[in-house]
Amino acid sequence: MIAIEVENGALKPVRRDMPTPSADQVLIKVVAAGVSRPDVMQRQGLYPPPPGASDIPGLEVAGTIQALGDHINHLNIGDRACALVTGGGYAEYCLASDTLCLPIPEGLSFIQAAALPETFFTVWSNVFDRAHLQPGETLLVHGGTSGIGTTAIQLAKAFNAKVIVTAGSKTKCEFCLQLGADATINYKEQDFFEEVMRFTGNKGVDVILDMIGGDYFPRNLKCMADDARLVQIAVQNGPKAEINLLSIMLKRLTITGSTLRARDDVFKKDIADKLLEKVWPLLESGQIKPIINSTLALTDAALAHQLMESSQHIGKIILTV
């Protein structure tokens, strides 16, 4: 099969042997694979695959099941599926845990389905399971036009929360409003702390989903309401920041964070079950949808990473086989 390898910080197509599923795995013939920030970090040498994972980048795929492990009796060869994987997505064939294969929602294409696993698992796990966003609360999302951001806006609105997002241009802010955000902040022209406090009547927000870190952290603390929760899922501006412990104490704040890739299949299956029950019906009804920026051929993976690093995209970048 053709796969994409990382070599000296670059992506290049190579020929690899087709992998063989273990007892609890399926082999997926990949039609489309999502591109995500963790893939870029892996290419840069900053996010190595966990033990036992494929060295091929790619954390989400959609396609048809080609082979089944010996222990699997609830899936069938030929089934259309999308899957969260620990690696191996940038290839013509990819192994996936049987418990992390989800049916492609009715009415969605393979390309749309490939945009679901990494982003929807991440947003559900962090915003709803970890931060316990409730109806009527206000969520602040940094990076509103990323794959994570566009997903967070739609899911939060679907479950009756208010959403404020930051984005880097007027065009991106307008897109977020069209997607359902209640307020947008152009971080290149506006101070997000001042705008958050103006929008919330100086109350602050209840939940923050942050991929930036660094100098955003102290401003995030200032934006938070009493008993608010901050979930850190990436650190694009760096992993270090100064913390005002007094504000955490006085406002009873919860500061947490997570990464998903290294978690075991039992943890991820719990998220998959919740998505199938609570989110898949919203996708099938058209109430929410994956936002696709562009598609490129698998062999153009390097160009896909260039586009992601330029931050010019809105929504997901997808590789097609």
Side-chain angles (χ1 to χ4, degrees), residues 90-120:
Y90 291 13
E92 292 182 312
Y93 294 86
C94 179
L95 295 176
S97 168
D98 66 320
T99 58
L100 303 182
C101 286
L102 289 168
I104 293 178
E106 193 70 32
L108 266 63
S109 67
F110 285 114
I111 288 172
Q112 291 173 305
L116 299 177
E118 197 268 339
T119 47
F120 278 75

Side-chain angles (χ1 to χ4, degrees), residues 73-246:
N73 52 29
H74 64 288
L75 298 170
N76 298 292
I77 292 174
D79 284 354
R80 289 160 40 96
C82 59
L84 181 72
V85 297
T86 54
Y90 291 13
E92 292 182 312
Y93 294 86
C94 179
L95 295 176
S97 168
D98 66 320
T99 58
L100 303 182
C101 286
L102 289 168
I104 293 178
E106 193 70 32
L108 266 63
S109 67
F110 285 114
I111 288 172
Q112 291 173 305
L116 299 177
E118 197 268 339
T119 47
F120 278 75
F121 273 73
T122 296
V123 171
W124 188 270
S125 176
N126 288 287
V127 174
F128 295 94
D129 285 348
R130 200 164 191 83
H132 306 291
L133 181 69
Q134 299 298 310
E137 290 190 324
T138 301
L139 168 69
L140 171 62
V141 181
H142 291 300
T145 55
S146 65
I148 295 290
T150 55
T151 300
I153 292 169
Q154 294 183 84
L155 284 180
K157 294 303 297 180
F159 291 94
N160 301 310
K162 297 175 183 176
V163 182
I164 306 172
V165 304
T166 62
S169 71
K170 180 180 179 181
T171 299
K172 288 185 173 184
C173 286
E174 289 175 350
F175 185 89
C176 291
L177 289 173
Q178 293 171 5
L179 202 57
D182 296 280
T184 60
I185 302 163
N186 184 341
Y187 65 83
K188 293 183 179 178
E189 299 178 355
Q190 300 169 291
D191 182 284
F192 75 76
F193 163 69
E194 293 178 357
E195 294 301 313
V196 163
M197 300 312 284
R198 183 176 65 81
F199 179 79
T200 61
N202 291 316
K203 174 180 176 289
V205 296
D206 302 290
V207 175
I208 300 177
L209 182 66
D210 185 35
M211 297 166 270
I212 310 300
D215 59 345
Y216 270 44
F217 188 83
R219 285 187 282 167
N220 281 336
L221 295 187
K222 291 171 64 179
C223 288
M224 295 171 74
D226 290 349
D227 298 300
R229 294 83 72 196
L230 165 64
V231 188
Q232 198 75 47
I233 61 170
V235 286
Q236 293 177 29
N237 276 10
K240 295 184 179 181
E242 186 172 306
I243 301 175
N244 182 345
L245 294 174
L246 189 60

